[in-house]
Amino acid sequence: MPNWKLHNIIETSGAVVVCEEMCTGTRYFENLVDETKTTLDEQFMALSERYMKTNCACFTPNTGRIDDILRMVKEYQVDGVIDCSLKFCCLYDTEKYSVSRALKEAGVPVLSLETDYADTDAEQLRTRIGAFVELLNG
């Protein structure tokens, strides 16, 4: 079951989620596997090449992920970015500084959050996200 807590809070706070580059979201349909390969070895290689193009924080240092975020900001006409990491995903937390710096240098407002799958922090998130949305609507 995907974690829709953050999406629900964002969209009930007056904003719209236009794309997501975390472990779910655009990764499912970007950089598709080349299906023209006919031999088993070629198919394994095509599958491997597709997954090696994934811009995940686990491939750190990964400037490609930051470039991809900046590309999506332009492509999806993003007004602001909520950079969220899960409490148990140390790699995204480690990249948070670099992502935030790159977005700020590009003039893109960014809110960095950390959460988990529980609902215990929902109201705290709602407060922070609501303030961020007000800042964007300024």
Side-chain angles (χ1 to χ4, degrees), residues 21-80:
E21 71 81 45
M22 298 294 283
C23 298
T24 56
T26 59
R27 290 197 187 155
Y28 287 123
F29 56 84
E30 285 192 336
N31 301 318
L32 299 178
V33 176
D34 180 359
E35 296 180 21
T36 63
K37 305 303 179 187
T38 56
T39 69
L40 196 55
D41 284 342
E42 289 174 333
Q43 291 170 351
F44 281 139
M45 186 57 73
L47 187 62
S48 300
E49 288 171 350
R50 185 265 191 231
Y51 281 102
M52 292 306 294
K53 291 178 188 173
T54 300
N55 283 320
C56 178
C58 68
F59 299 124
T60 195
N62 185 4
T63 57
R65 178 171 174 252
I66 294 171
D67 295 340
D68 209 33
I69 292 170
L70 293 171
R71 175 191 60 81
M72 284 191 278
V73 163
K74 291 178 185 171
E75 184 177 325
Y76 290 91
Q77 300 175 9
V78 169
D79 295 324

Side-chain angles (χ1 to χ4, degrees), residues 96-108:
K96 189 181 295 186
Y97 173 77
S98 300
V99 169
S100 182
R101 187 181 68 210
L103 288 166
K104 287 177 183 175
E105 287 174 1
V108 180

Side-chain angles (χ1 to χ4, degrees), residues 1-8 20 24 86 115-119:
M1 186 77 176
N3 181 16
W4 294 111
K5 171 181 68 175
L6 193 61
H7 297 79
N8 181 52
E20 178 189 333
T24 56
L86 292 170
T115 189
D116 58 21
Y117 292 124
D119 286 332

